Amino acid sequence: MAIDLTNDPSIQSWVNVPDQSNFPIQNLPYGIFSTATKSKRAGIAIGDQILDLVEVASLGHFNGIIDEAVTLFSNEILNPFISLGKDVHKKVRSTVFELLKEGNTALEGKNVLVDQNEASLHLPIQIGDYTDFYSSEEHAVNVGTMFRGKDNALTPNWKHLPVGYHGRSSSIVVSGTPIKRPHGQKMPPGAEAPVFGKSTRMDIELEMGFVVGKSTELGETVPVDKAEDYIFGLMLFNDWSARDIQKWEYVPLGPFLGKNFGSTVSPWIVTLDALEPFRTKGPEQSPTPLPYLQHDVPATFDIQLEVHLKTESGNEGKIATSNFKYLYWNMAQQLAHQTVNGCNLNVGDLCASGTISGPTKDSYGSMLELSWNGQEPIQVGNETRSFLEDNDTITLKGFCDNGELRIGFGEAVGKILK
Amino acid sequence: MAIDLTNDPSIQSWVNVPDQSNFPIQNLPYGIFSTATKSKRAGIAIGDQILDLVEVASLGHFNGIIDEAVTLFSNEILNPFISLGKDVHKKVRSTVFELLKEGNTALEGKNVLVDQNEASLHLPIQIGDYTDFYSSEEHAVNVGTMFRGKDNALTPNWKHLPVGYHGRSSSIVVSGTPIKRPHGQKMPPGAEAPVFGKSTRMDIELEMGFVVGKSTELGETVPVDKAEDYIFGLMLFNDWSARDIQKWEYVPLGPFLGKNFGSTVSPWIVTLDALEPFRTKGPEQSPTPLPYLQHDVPATFDIQLEVHLKTESGNEGKIATSNFKYLYWNMAQQLAHQTVNGCNLNVGDLCASGTISGPTKDSYGSMLELSWNGQEPIQVGNETRSFLEDNDTITLKGFCDNGELRIGFGEAVGKILK
């Protein structure tokens, strides 16, 4: 087998990749796009362009790898492609890498590229089930401290299992989709009865989500050391949260209407293959988890994360800087836990990390933490914010960068409408 | 418009409907079936037969009602049919009623009936999102009393909103599918650290679920007095629960692995049209709910419910008798609440009621309550049970019966495998 050069930072593409681009030839993330003249279809981001996989397929470049590749990539979702499995994904990756490599002229003069500015990007997968974990110790401690006091900040189970719950799939939307401020029941401090109205404590949660790449049968379990075989790739994930609604509703069965009015994902799915150079170890885990969760190998990735806020009047600022590697529980552990009872997975299921907070105040992944429950409003230009105001726009950004190579996720953008 | 006679108890079918059958001509529930020679397709239960809707369509009986009816009913799920809306459902109901009515010979000699004993029944819908409510006051009080004491039995929000949470869609299976006893983390009483092993507190939850019949857009709300327009029909629902796993994991974000290893639905969806003669008022609600939940009209149905347990050694018994009408929150309120924040619905979403317990000990809808947390084991023949043992089979049954008319749901059956 040939040596895999798809992570080699010295290789360039003949497609122009601007400095600081998220999408060099070593990335090759998958998405679904359309243009004024092209119906929804699969594409790969490269520099400022999108490689139209239907066009590439029609030239026969996936012959021998995928049957009916034109039909496959003409789907409005990536699920059928993802279902083909890791071997096919790797072959497509190396084929596209070869085609886009400097010096390769196979696509010369072919109509295979679309300017990203001329394309609409769509939700790339049909999401069956969506799980939201709660895997950042810093976030759990911060929230626990605010609501239960420092001594009871972490619930007794937290260090023994990756706490998670099921969320709403239907309301997961792609970057750029506006989010309407939800109405709901709230119990104001000191009130005797709940009131109905707009949420006044609108928040974000800086998260990442992984896309399940392989289905399992009901009753089947996925061992922790095989779990990455079941992960296709990652996206940025903003788990919008209405804290006032959430607080009143969530005991005893967990969050519901405080969350399910919308979640925003970035449009491109970055594969584990592209992230490989940034693999790293997560935090030490103490106490040692039960054997089915023991995975003491580098199983997370050094992904720098940012939250940007822009107000209606034009003030803007980076309000948080965090990193995926801060998470206490890694994806393999999350997935092993999710299936240890035999719960079955489907391709396209999405598992989000939970808010990714870091150790310092500027690394907290929610307004709730950044403003410490509204007690310490943060500065955005000449305005302050405890929670989100109408027409505020939040942009999540994520990228790996080791000086030689930058693998980015793009953005997950959402504006709060009144 | 002609008078709707489809609920008239005096009308008989030319298909033999045995005494005490669940499926008289006034019921006409939808399901998906297959046989040795017929691929999966839509059917309607009548007596102990199934009316093959593909065959009826091929005879042209749905002309003018449904375009491409043969293709539509050849789908492996009912979602495309359900998406056509209530007007079409009503026309199909009256057409099938007319065709099956005593004296009608249009289907005579046609190959449109299949013996239920010769058919396999399948999960009839593709479920997008599944919500589980917690709408029985008796159940919530029982469980709350056991775990938090009598004075804190109901959480403060319980009488103000229909508490609910999102569950797992992928593991919802049709009646007859065995359920494997799950493994997971448990914290034994008095232990210092959790242990891993099989659940030893396997339980059922006697529930009903409604199938969403009409989609909404993100941001759209469904008023409580229009909510039934968004409900296609009902099924029996067994929300299998591993109490030991659930207890350790569920704080603070709700049930997860204690539930998502499997839920069982009955194969037939009974429409609201068929249930109309059994419409009734639910319990008085005090305090009066907020305006968006006010719905002081008969909005529930008198559906008698039973739980039967059969042990491996052949002992069997009816262990609980309850009624859908006991639920404090009705389906219209659940659906109005679910969408009040703009959360969008898809056709095929499933909303389950939560355990339906009644006022007396023999009407509790879970083993947890029936055995009062294991303190008062129940008798099944010459055996006792606190929770389920390996190879126990649970059968949920449901039917409306007013002496003149019996509209049944059939059964939701599941056997616990070790």
Side-chain angles (χ1 to χ4, degrees), chain A residues 357-369:
Chain A
S357 292
T360 56
K361 193 170 155 56
D362 60 355
S363 65
Y364 296 166
S366 68
M367 307 279 290
L368 178 69
E369 294 163 88

Side-chain angles (χ1 to χ4, degrees), chain A residues 73-289:
Chain A
F73 288 125
S74 299
N75 275 295
E76 297 192 352
I77 47 174
L78 290 171
N79 302 51
F81 169 64
I82 298 173
S83 298
L84 297 180
K86 289 252 179 195
D87 285 353
V88 171
H89 306 156
K90 279 185 193 293
K91 286 178 186 163
V92 169
R93 176 175 169 81
S94 59
T95 300
V96 169
F97 187 86
E98 201 55 40
L99 287 168
L100 291 177
K101 211 166 66 174
E102 202 165 44
N104 190 314
T105 57
L107 297 178
E108 202 171 278
K110 312 292 183 186
N111 187 27
V112 295
L113 292 176
V114 169
D115 194 312
Q116 284 178 25
N117 290 323
E118 287 166 19
S120 299
L121 295 170
H122 306 280
L123 188 66
I125 45 172
Q126 183 178 336
I127 302 164
D129 281 292
Y130 150 54
T131 300
D132 195 23
F133 286 97
Y134 187 57
S135 289
S136 156
E137 181 176 2
E138 291 82 357
H139 172 68
V141 167
N142 286 339
V143 173
T145 302
M146 276 179 238
F147 294 117
R148 288 183 297 272
K150 211 167 181 175
D151 294 339
N152 300 303
L154 285 187
T155 52
N157 54 14
W158 201 93
K159 290 235 168 170
H160 294 282
L161 53 82
V163 169
Y165 68 105
H166 291 296
R168 185 87 186 174
S169 298
S170 71
S171 53
I172 298 176
V173 296
V174 75
S175 179
T177 311
I179 299 291
K180 217 167 138 179
R181 183 182 292 270
H183 287 74
Q185 279 197 36
K186 310 172 285 185
M187 179 62 99
E192 293 200 345
V195 298
F196 181 80
K198 285 189 176 180
S199 170
T200 57
R201 291 166 68 88
M202 270 295 295
D203 201 355
I204 56 157
E205 293 196 337
L206 168 62
E207 306 194 13
M208 298 202 70
F210 69 80
V211 177
V212 169
K214 192 173 172 183
S215 299
T216 64
E217 296 294 321
L218 190 62
E220 189 180 344
T221 59
V222 176
V224 67
D225 59 352
K226 297 274 182 264
E228 286 190 6
D229 295 348
Y230 294 77
I231 298 174
F232 175 67
L234 278 79
M235 310 162 91
L236 300 168
F237 191 88
N238 185 350
D239 182 21
W240 304 95
S241 300
R243 299 297 180 195
D244 36 10
I245 296 172
Q246 183 184 351
K247 191 177 179 192
W248 172 232
E249 76 177 356
Y250 93 103
V251 175
L253 297 181
F256 186 48
L257 300 189
K259 299 277 192 176
N260 66 15
F261 57 90
S263 316
T264 301
V265 292
S266 52
W268 298 107
I269 307 177
V270 177
T271 62
L272 292 193
D273 287 334
L275 294 173
E276 199 53 47
F278 303 94
R279 185 180 285 276
T280 184
K281 282 193 78 162
E284 289 296 314
Q285 296 186 321
S286 173
T288 304

Side-chain angles (χ1 to χ4, degrees), chain B residues 9 32 53 64 117 135 163 183 210 295 310 315 339-340 393 397:
Chain B
I32 294 288
L53 290 175
N117 290 324
S135 289
V163 169
H183 286 74
F210 69 81
H295 195 50
K310 185 176 180 181
N315 280 303
T339 61
V340 75
T393 299
K397 299 183 183 185

Side-chain angles (χ1 to χ4, degrees), chain B residues 72-363:
Chain B
L72 184 86
F73 288 125
S74 299
N75 274 295
E76 295 191 353
I77 47 174
L78 290 171
N79 301 51
F81 169 65
I82 298 173
S83 298
L84 297 179
K86 289 253 179 193
D87 284 353
V88 170
H89 307 156
K90 279 184 193 297
K91 285 177 187 163
V92 169
R93 176 175 169 81
S94 59
T95 300
V96 169
F97 187 87
E98 201 55 40
L99 287 168
L100 292 177
K101 211 166 68 175
E102 202 164 44
N104 190 313
T105 58
L107 298 179
E108 201 171 280
K110 312 291 182 186
N111 188 27
V112 295
L113 291 176
V114 168
D115 194 312
Q116 284 176 26
N117 290 324
E118 288 165 19
S120 299
L121 295 169
H122 306 279
L123 189 66
I125 45 171
Q126 183 178 337
I127 300 165
D129 282 293
Y130 149 54
T131 300
D132 195 23
F133 287 96
Y134 187 58
S135 289
S136 157
E137 182 176 1
E138 290 82 357
H139 172 68
V141 167
N142 286 340
V143 174
T145 302
M146 275 179 238
F147 293 116
R148 288 183 298 273
K150 211 168 181 174
D151 294 340
N152 300 304
L154 285 186
T155 53
N157 54 14
W158 200 93
K159 290 235 167 170
H160 294 283
L161 53 82
V163 169
Y165 69 105
H166 292 296
R168 185 86 187 173
S169 298
S170 70
S171 52
I172 298 175
V173 296
V174 75
S175 178
T177 311
I179 299 291
K180 215 167 140 179
R181 182 182 295 269
H183 286 74
Q185 279 197 34
K186 311 171 285 185
M187 179 63 100
E192 292 201 347
V195 299
F196 182 81
K198 284 191 177 182
S199 170
T200 56
R201 291 165 68 88
M202 270 294 296
D203 201 356
I204 56 156
E205 293 197 337
L206 167 63
E207 305 195 12
M208 298 202 71
F210 69 81
V211 177
V212 169
K214 191 173 170 182
S215 299
T216 64
E217 295 294 320
L218 191 62
E220 189 179 344
T221 59
V222 176
V224 67
D225 58 352
K226 297 276 183 264
E228 286 190 5
D229 295 348
Y230 294 76
I231 298 174
F232 176 67
L234 278 79
M235 310 160 93
L236 300 168
F237 191 90
N238 185 351
D239 182 21
W240 304 95
S241 300
R243 299 298 178 193
D244 36 10
I245 296 171
Q246 183 184 351
K247 191 177 179 191
W248 171 232
E249 75 177 355
Y250 93 105
V251 175
L253 297 181
F256 186 49
L257 299 190
K259 298 278 191 175
N260 66 15
F261 57 90
S263 316
T264 301
V265 292
S266 52
W268 299 106
I269 308 177
V270 177
T271 63
L272 293 193
D273 287 334
L275 294 173
E276 199 51 48
F278 303 93
R279 185 179 284 278
T280 185
K281 283 193 77 161
E284 289 295 314
Q285 296 185 322
S286 174
T288 304
L290 282 162
Y292 81 95
L293 292 171
Q294 285 174 18
H295 195 50
D296 195 22
V297 297
T300 189
F301 298 91
D302 180 359
I303 305 170
Q304 302 176 52
L305 299 168
E306 298 177 355
V307 183
H308 296 254
L309 192 161
K310 185 176 180 181
T311 72
E312 188 173 13
S313 62
N315 280 303
E316 54 185 306
K318 180 164 73 176
I319 62 171
T321 308
S322 189
N323 196 303
F324 186 68
K325 72 181 179 186
Y326 293 150
L327 290 168
Y328 187 86
W329 296 103
N330 60 52
M331 295 183 286
Q333 291 174 318
Q334 290 167 344
L335 201 136
H337 184 64
Q338 165 89 70
T339 61
V340 75
N341 68 343
C343 178
N344 54 328
L345 304 174
N346 286 311
V347 165
D349 289 347
L350 190 68
C351 295
S353 57
T355 310
I356 306 168
S357 293
T360 55
K361 193 169 155 58
D362 60 356
S363 65

